[in-house]
Amino acid sequence: EAQVTQNPRYLITVTGKKLTVTCSQNMNHEYMSWYRQDPGLGLRQIYYSMNVEVTDKGDVPEGYKVSRKEKRNFPLILESPSPNQTSLYFCASSLSGSRTDTQYFGPGTRLTVL
Amino acid sequence: AQKVTQAQTEISVVEKEDVTLDCVYETRDTTYYLFWYKQPPSGELVFLIRRNSFDEQNEISGRYSWNFQKSTSSFNFTITASQVVDSAVYFCALSEFIIQGAQKLVFGQGTRLTINP
């Protein structure tokens, strides 16, 4: 089944404790991105990746890092999480970064930083 | 910058009623792409439809239909004979060019639809 998977689905952590949210897709998509969803602010892009080893900042990149060492994986790293990073995070992938291509989303990761 | 407006924050109807979710967009592009996504209570984002600006034909998929009107910059979504399982937050979105090879989705604020039995 074609899908985007994320782990963990739920995470409660404390300020400053490094964490990684994994994202994997099995559709051989080139383009992947991370969004966060916050009440009143909607969904905003954090980072995106056009291909292996090609990543760039989205609209809200502060406090996050990403890497793309393999085509299928695009982990989101929070080196020193803070309470304002409490949010619902989505990984998405599409065939390419063209506007014509549909982005398919993972199931989401609900992160709480205490 | 592009913008998507979903003026209806919440809608509540009784099962079997028809319901229309409004979406109005702003863009300076002559060619653009619109999307609808569904977010059920479980939280995931499910793709429903993509519409190209140069194709003004309306689309129907079972009980779902979409009315695209360029003249009013609207892309409305209608559910016919609604069911409890249709309860979800629905997002309208527009894809925006970042640089060659990169895009992002600009989402509306979403409409929370509740179907009561």
Side-chain angles (χ1 to χ4, degrees):
Chain A
E1 181 192 351
Q3 59 183 349
V4 180
T5 57
Q6 292 179 229
N7 281 292
R9 294 289 313 278
Y10 303 91
L11 180 60
I12 300 174
T13 189
V14 295
T15 298
K17 188 176 180 182
K18 181 179 178 179
L19 67 92
T20 298
V21 183
T22 64
C23 172
S24 184
Q25 49 92 7
N26 63 0
M27 296 171 278
N28 202 35
H29 284 171
E30 285 191 353
Y31 192 74
M32 298 183 75
S33 53
W34 278 99
Y35 291 80
R36 61 178 288 176
Q37 182 181 16
D38 302 289
L41 296 174
L43 286 111
R44 297 173 291 169
Q45 190 182 58
I46 304 170
Y47 266 94
Y48 62 88
S49 170
M50 292 186 278
N51 214 324
V52 175
E53 303 292 3
V54 182
T55 64
D56 207 346
K57 297 176 181 178
D59 295 323
V60 287
E62 295 77 23
Y64 304 96
K65 282 176 55 176
V66 293
S67 70
R68 187 99 180 267
K69 292 182 171 35
E70 304 165 283
K71 197 172 185 179
R72 62 184 294 131
N73 296 324
F74 188 43
L76 179 69
I77 303 155
L78 285 73
E79 295 266 1
S80 182
S82 61
N84 64 12
Q85 292 179 297
T86 293
S87 187
L88 179 56
Y89 291 88
F90 288 101
C91 179
S93 76
S94 57
L95 196 59
S96 77
S98 167
R99 290 183 301 148
T100 63
D101 288 337
T102 299
Q103 291 195 52
Y104 296 94
F105 286 82
T109 295
R110 192 169 292 279
L111 172 66
T112 301
V113 183
L114 302 174
Chain B
Q2 304 191 122
K3 187 177 178 182
V4 175
T5 301
Q6 294 179 256
Q8 304 152 309
T9 307
E10 294 192 32
I11 299 176
S12 181
V13 301
V14 177
E15 199 171 21
K16 297 184 184 174
E17 283 186 20
D18 298 348
V19 58
T20 296
L21 309 182
D22 297 334
C23 172
V24 173
Y25 59 91
E26 294 174 31
T27 180
R28 292 185 178 180
D29 296 338
T30 51
T31 300
Y32 48 90
Y33 305 87
L34 294 156
F35 301 80
W36 276 94
Y37 287 85
K38 174 182 180 180
Q39 188 174 38
S42 49
E44 69 270 27
L45 275 170
V46 179
F47 164 71
L48 294 178
I49 191 171
R50 182 186 75 197
R51 168 60 67 203
N52 308 325
S53 59
F54 45 86
D55 180 2
E56 294 199 57
Q57 196 170 14
N58 289 328
E59 181 115 3
I60 298 174
S61 176
R63 296 183 296 106
Y64 294 174
S65 63
W66 290 268
N67 185 331
F68 174 51
Q69 295 214 342
K70 241 175 162 175
S71 58
T72 56
S73 297
S74 65
F75 185 39
N76 297 337
F77 172 31
T78 297
I79 302 175
T80 303
S82 60
Q83 299 176 2
V84 173
V85 292
D86 295 327
S87 296
V89 180
Y90 290 88
F91 291 95
C92 181
L94 188 58
S95 63
E96 180 172 298
F97 175 86
I98 302 175
I99 58 173
Q100 189 64 37
Q103 58 121 331
K104 67 177 181 183
L105 287 170
V106 175
F107 286 87
Q109 289 298 311
T111 297
R112 182 177 299 277
L113 176 63
T114 302
I115 311 296
N116 300 297

